Amino acid sequence: MKQPLLNQAASSSVEETSTKSLFTDAGWFSIITFSWMGPLLDLGRRKTLDLDDVPLLDHNDSVHGVLPKFKPKIVSDSVRGQFTDVTSVKLAKVLVLTTWKLILITAVFALLSTVSAYVGPYLIEYFVNYLNKSSRSSKEGYILVLTFVVAQFIEGFSAKHLQFRSKQVGVRACSSLVATIYQKCLALSNQSRQSSSTGEMINVVSLDAECVGNFSRSMHDVWLLPVQIILGMLILYSALGLAAFAALAATVLTMVANIPLGTIEQNYQEKTMTAKDARMRAMSEILRNMRILKLQGWEMIFLSKIKDLRKVEMNWLKKNVYTSAMLLSVFFCAPAFVAMVTFGTCVLLGIPLETGKVLSALATFRQLQTPIHGLPDAISMIIQTKVSLDRISSFLCLEELPSDAVTKLPRGTTDVSIEVRNGQFSWNTSSQVPTLQDLNFRIQQGMRVAICGTVGSGKSSLLSCILGEIPKLLGEVKTCGRIAYVSQSPSTVCSDSIGSSQILSLLLLLRRENAIFQRLDSITVFFQGCPLKGSLDPF
């Protein structure tokens, strides 16, 4: 019985019945109060959540929504590929341009949260003076309490929305980078694949892209620091007078002490990522050649090599952590140091230390403690993000496959699935003898073709020229519709011949991964190896 590999109607019905995004249909009051999460939280209270219970992302937060905005700003028309002129500055600029609305919203929430946080320290002196009065007005007391409550409400409201929107910016940035890196991996040339191991590609996707996305939590800390210092100085000057400048000098001194430590931490971060790449490269090579290691009994030898690489990585990681600990130690001691300098200056200048002024100053020092403590983390995040952007931009600048290697025709324009005319291909373009030459063949739609030959006869190279992965010297390659390709690997094909059960497993793999291989116009399956055993009619 013949049936299509993928059922388009079934896949579309699954998409229609998928859980919609709760955030998309939420009203403004629901967004402000986060009540749009109520149905999901209630469902989680009643039963264990399954994957089908989790709602989808909003379209603007998904890859389908962010990639069309991100990719046109980062691609180029270079001969070497579409992502070959990318720099870290350009990458950061494009990320800002694609998420500038959310960044502006988070900046407003960050400013509101900062300003409202200093209302309490400013009102403490008024509270103390009000309580020390012999005759107190009820109206003045109500106004002070109401102002304090409103300020605390605005601070909490702004802080929660700042966290949510900042995470939203990070999700969009990370999704854009991961999708772009994935497309780059598919377009890498053979020379680029040899220069970049699988471990390096995994690190770029799993570590560097995630690090750039996590920077959204600290993106406002740098410009908020002067605002917080100015607000703190105004409160301290109104309470302590000229002693506030001593507090400013002590604060600046603690920040300057962070500069050399931050430079050292950046160097250790780069060394750590380099050592991690070396270890992942060795691990990938060992896993690919595990059969040889088992046959030769080399497990312990290569295990010792991995341990040596791990020791080098741990050495740089320890230095990085120790430097971060030194940064935290400096800034944890900063509030006590600032308070000591400020009150000492008050004693020397003869400024009276009244109860309200001391409490207001201590509350201000406590508010300044947050940005001072967060500054090392912000600087560390900037350093790590800079290193990750450099690594991502370097990866995106690798040479790509030529875009004109294969002419892709739309479905229905011809009944020929694959056609090669006067083809001449070579893995090494400088070689005098090409890998494949004088190729002329045509495959009609619906044909089943088996490429047979001895080891090293060029079967894989023939498939690579159809996929556009081998440099084309002469000729023309045309394909019609889309092609699904399952490469040969030791985990799927382990014998000299391919049985029908193995073919069936590959076809079932394609059928199960309908999110990747859906709505294929045509599928031409090439079996690498000896003639087929048994019969199978999947189409």
Side-chain angles (χ1 to χ4, degrees):
M1 177 181 179
K2 297 183 178 181
Q3 59 180 0
L5 186 62
L6 294 175
N7 193 337
Q8 184 174 355
S11 61
S12 61
S13 62
V14 171
E15 294 177 357
E16 292 177 358
T17 57
S18 298
T19 308
K20 295 183 179 180
S21 174
L22 300 177
F23 183 74
T24 304
D25 301 331
W28 64 270
F29 181 79
S30 179
I31 292 176
I32 291 176
T33 59
F34 292 101
S35 59
W36 56 273
M37 284 291 296
L40 181 62
L41 296 177
D42 182 66
L43 182 62
R45 180 182 60 85
R46 289 186 280 108
K47 75 178 196 68
T48 303
L49 293 178
D50 298 327
L51 184 59
D52 296 335
D53 300 327
V54 179
L56 299 176
L57 283 175
D58 182 64
H59 177 73
N60 294 325
D61 297 328
S62 63
V63 176
H64 301 289
V66 298
L67 190 60
K69 302 176 183 178
F70 178 84
K71 188 176 179 181
K73 295 181 176 63
I74 203 69
V75 297
S76 59
D77 297 328
S78 174
V79 179
R80 296 175 60 246
Q82 58 180 351
F83 296 115
T84 51
D85 295 333
V86 181
T87 61
S88 57
V89 177
K90 181 180 179 180
L91 199 59
K93 181 180 178 181
V94 173
L95 288 173
V96 172
L97 291 177
T98 52
T99 57
W100 68 270
K101 292 183 179 179
L102 274 179
I103 293 177
L104 184 60
I105 292 175
T106 55
V108 173
F109 284 128
L111 186 60
L112 285 175
S113 178
T114 301
V115 173
S116 58
Y118 283 86
V119 173
Y122 179 74
L123 293 178
I124 286 179
E125 184 177 0
Y126 290 93
F127 270 111
V128 175
N129 294 335
Y130 174 77
L131 294 175
N132 290 333
K133 289 181 180 180
S134 57
S135 58
R136 294 187 290 256
S137 172
S138 300
K139 181 179 180 181
E140 183 181 358
Y142 289 142
I143 292 176
L144 288 174
V145 172
L146 181 62
T147 305
F148 183 79
V149 171
V150 171
Q152 292 297 314
F153 174 78
I154 294 176
E155 180 187 2
F157 170 83
S158 303
K160 296 306 178 183
H161 278 275
L162 174 62
Q163 295 176 4
F164 175 73
R165 294 295 181 175
S166 298
K167 190 64 178 178
Q168 201 173 11
V169 173
V171 169
R172 293 186 182 184
C174 185
S175 300
S176 302
L177 292 176
V178 170
T180 303
I181 295 171
Y182 175 74
Q183 292 184 356
K184 181 69 178 185
C185 292
L186 296 179
L188 285 178
S189 63
N190 183 55
Q191 291 80 3
S192 299
R193 293 181 185 275
Q194 292 178 355
S195 61
S196 298
S197 64
T198 305
E200 293 176 348
M201 298 180 187
I202 293 174
N203 284 339
V204 171
V205 173
S206 61
L207 297 180
D208 295 319
E210 185 178 357
C211 180
V212 175
N214 291 335
F215 177 70
S216 60
R217 298 177 299 179
S218 307
M219 60 183 174
H220 298 300
D221 291 350
V222 177
W223 70 268
L224 279 178
L225 183 62
V227 176
Q228 293 168 325
I229 292 178
I230 291 174
L231 292 175
M233 284 296 299
L234 292 176
I235 297 175
L236 291 176
Y237 185 78
S238 64
L240 303 177
L242 295 178
F245 294 99
L248 177 62
T251 303
V252 173
L253 182 62
T254 56
M255 293 180 182
V256 172
N258 182 62
I259 295 177
L261 293 177
T263 304
I264 296 174
E265 185 183 19
Q266 180 180 5
N267 183 34
Y268 288 160
Q269 176 69 19
E270 294 176 354
K271 297 293 186 181
T272 302
M273 297 304 294
T274 302
K276 190 182 294 293
D277 287 341
R279 181 177 61 85
M280 291 296 293
R281 188 185 305 112
M283 284 294 300
S284 300
E285 185 176 355
I286 289 175
L287 292 176
R288 285 197 304 267
N289 300 278
M290 183 57 68
R291 182 184 300 175
I292 298 177
L293 298 182
K294 290 290 186 181
L295 292 176
Q296 300 294 334
W298 292 341
E299 298 94 331
M300 302 307 299
I301 298 176
F302 280 87
L303 178 61
S304 62
K305 294 182 179 295
I306 294 297
K307 288 183 177 180
D308 293 338
L309 293 174
R310 181 61 177 170
K311 287 180 181 178
V312 174
E313 181 184 354
M314 289 297 296
N315 182 33
W316 292 114
L317 187 60
K318 286 180 181 178
K319 292 181 179 180
N320 190 12
V321 173
Y322 289 155
T323 307
S324 300
M326 294 173 63
L327 287 171
L328 291 176
S329 300
V330 170
F331 283 93
F332 270 116
C333 299
F337 174 72
V338 173
M340 180 184 66
V341 172
T342 304
F343 293 143
T345 305
C346 290
V347 173
L348 293 177
L349 296 179
I351 299 175
L353 295 175
E354 299 176 357
T355 305
K357 294 180 179 181
V358 172
L359 292 178
S360 179
L362 290 176
T364 304
F365 292 150
R366 185 173 182 180
Q367 288 296 329
L368 286 174
Q369 182 180 4
T370 301
I372 292 177
H373 285 176
L375 184 62
D377 294 335
I379 294 177
S380 178
M381 285 299 299
I382 292 175
I383 294 171
Q384 295 179 19
T385 304
K386 174 64 168 55
V387 173
S388 296
L389 286 175
D390 291 340
R391 288 163 52 85
I392 293 174
S393 59
S394 299
F395 180 78
L396 293 179
C397 288
L398 295 176
E399 185 180 2
E400 300 179 9
L401 295 169
S403 58
D404 58 347
V406 178
T407 302
K408 298 181 180 180
L409 302 177
R411 177 185 180 184
T413 56
T414 177
D415 60 346
V416 178
S417 178
I418 299 172
E419 182 179 6
V420 179
R421 290 188 297 179
N422 301 322
Q424 186 171 332
F425 308 88
S426 177
W427 290 109
N428 187 6
T429 56
S430 61
S431 177
Q432 298 295 330
V433 180
T435 306
L436 298 173
Q437 58 183 342
D438 299 332
L439 287 181
N440 292 276
F441 63 89
R442 177 183 296 179
I443 300 175
Q444 301 290 334
Q445 292 279 357
M447 292 179 60
R448 283 169 294 181
V449 180
I451 303 175
C452 307
T454 59
V455 175
S457 60
K459 302 185 299 298
S460 299
S461 299
L462 177 59
L463 297 180
S464 298
C465 76
I466 296 173
L467 298 173
E469 295 180 353
I470 181 173
K472 183 179 66 174
L473 304 179
L474 293 175
E476 184 179 9
V477 180
K478 294 182 180 180
T479 61
C480 180
R482 299 183 181 181
I483 296 177
Y485 174 66
V486 179
S487 60
Q488 182 179 1
S489 61
S491 59
T492 56
V493 181
C494 302
S495 58
D496 295 334
S497 61
I498 304 178
S500 59
S501 60
Q502 293 169 322
I503 300 172
L504 181 60
S505 64
L506 297 179
L507 294 175
L508 291 177
L509 174 63
L510 288 176
R511 188 180 184 88
R512 185 171 66 252
E513 301 293 340
N514 56 356
I516 301 175
F517 301 99
Q518 61 181 349
R519 293 187 298 274
L520 297 177
D521 297 338
S522 63
I523 297 179
T524 304
V525 181
F526 291 87
F527 303 107
Q528 305 180 57
C530 297
L532 306 180
K533 295 181 179 180
S535 61
L536 183 67
D537 196 355
F539 302 104

